[in-house]
Amino acid sequence: MKVVIVGSGNVATHLALAFLDADIEVSQVWSNNYGNALNLATKVSAQAIESLNEVDNDADLLVIAIKDDAIAETLARLVHFKGAIVHTAGSVNLNVFGNKIINYGVLYPLQTFSKDKTLDFRIIPLCVEANNHETLAFIKAVAIKLSDKVEEVDSERRKVLHLSAVFACNFTNHLYALAANLLAENDLKFDLIKPLIKETASKILTTTPKNAQTGPAVRNDEQTLKSHEAMLVKQPALLEIYKTLSNSIKKHN
């Protein structure tokens, strides 16, 4: 089997390495930035190509792992590809393929990726979808070689998964960044709250998020809430976030 990777970012990198670990040949890598394509291609012993016109149209699978807004435009340049084409986006509907491609689908890894952070790909959920039964069977067969957690998820439910992931991952990480800024402004180290972060994440592996909730809002500790709000008077954006989240905790607990 030959796989072409379109993209060279975080998702593309981890998928390419997962294919390598599964003894599936990554034959070509393309990226808007040829240098990035070359770096990834070198890691997986593939050919870096400078143009989508150089794509091997006889390869078995082409994986599009680029920003969501560029998928439709890229597909328009791949109409001669004979194998199956998948995108890896959580929030992009299957209908993005339109009538341009014969066999197509989705291979969505539900995980946060950083190029230089090693992950065990076998435990990452892979959500798959396709335009016909034959292509779905093919994509599932490939996915099973990469991960032990493969599930059929249609476009609408995948959008819900992606939205929930934004709340659970992206927003949470942003809150870490805000906390880090508050600490730095007061000459305190972020390392001090890392054990707290670790324990918070660990708890929901054995209980529900609702049961794991702690803090002044869930206790209705108005004195502490007002004290925190007073500390943020000169930072109205943070104050608004604090009030919004505190009120949400009160409402849901």
Side-chain angles (χ1 to χ4, degrees):
M1 180 187 297
K2 291 185 178 182
V3 179
V4 177
I5 302 288
V6 172
S8 59
N10 295 333
V11 176
T13 297
H14 280 273
L15 268 173
L17 293 172
F19 282 123
L20 181 67
D21 289 343
D23 293 323
I24 296 174
E25 180 186 354
V26 177
S27 58
Q28 294 178 318
V29 177
W30 175 88
S31 172
N32 273 323
N33 184 312
Y34 179 72
N36 291 341
L38 186 60
N39 287 338
L40 179 53
T42 300
K43 290 180 181 179
V44 294
S45 301
Q47 173 195 12
I49 56 176
E50 296 187 68
S51 169
L52 288 174
N53 292 329
E54 299 176 57
V55 163
D56 177 8
N57 289 319
D58 293 317
D60 302 285
L61 177 66
L62 186 145
V63 179
I64 299 177
I66 57 179
K67 65 179 182 178
D68 296 359
D69 292 348
I71 292 175
E73 178 186 351
T74 301
L75 284 170
R77 301 164 65 187
L78 296 168
V79 293
H80 299 297
F81 190 77
K82 299 175 184 177
I85 299 181
V86 296
H87 74 63
T88 61
S91 61
V92 178
N93 197 287
L94 188 68
N95 63 20
V96 71
F97 290 93
N99 297 316
K100 306 180 188 74
I101 310 298
I102 297 175
N103 298 305
Y104 56 84
V106 177
L107 183 67
Y108 168 52
L110 184 55
Q111 184 56 278
T112 175
F113 295 104
S114 297
K115 282 185 181 181
D116 50 3
K117 176 70 167 60
T118 301
L119 294 172
D120 181 0
F121 210 93
R122 294 223 63 87
I123 66 172
I124 295 173
L126 288 180
C127 303
V128 299
E129 184 182 12
N131 67 314
N132 59 58
H133 294 300
E134 183 179 348
T135 303
L136 179 62
F138 171 70
I139 295 171
K140 285 183 71 174
V142 172
I144 288 169
K145 292 182 180 181
L146 306 179
S147 171
D148 296 326
K149 299 176 181 288
V150 177
E151 187 168 347
E152 293 180 35
V153 181
D154 63 28
S155 290
E156 290 305 311
R157 292 190 301 145
R158 178 163 38 83
K159 286 169 66 176
V160 174
L161 270 176
H162 190 258
L163 176 59
S164 66
V166 169
F167 274 94
C169 175
N170 305 141
F171 289 170
T172 301
N173 190 75
H174 180 61
L175 293 176
Y176 294 159
L178 296 180
N181 290 342
L182 277 172
L183 291 166
E185 289 167 3
N186 292 276
D187 198 26
L188 291 164
K189 295 180 180 179
F190 186 68
D191 283 352
L192 287 170
I193 66 169
K194 285 183 178 179
L196 172 67
I197 292 170
K198 184 177 181 180
E199 176 61 15
T200 302
S202 176
K203 278 197 295 188
I204 60 167
L205 298 179
T206 56
T207 187
T208 65
K210 183 175 181 177
N211 287 339
Q213 187 68 58
T214 61
V218 75
R219 296 192 304 266
N220 288 307
D221 189 347
E222 291 298 329
Q223 186 173 348
T224 300
L225 291 170
K226 294 299 181 186
S227 174
H228 287 171
E229 290 171 10
M231 294 169 66
L232 296 171
V233 167
K234 294 183 179 180
Q235 300 183 65
L238 282 185
L239 177 58
E240 184 64 25
I241 292 171
Y242 185 91
K243 287 182 175 181
T244 299
L245 292 178
S246 294
N247 288 333
S248 183
I249 289 170
K250 289 179 183 179
K251 180 178 179 181
H252 288 89
N253 285 274

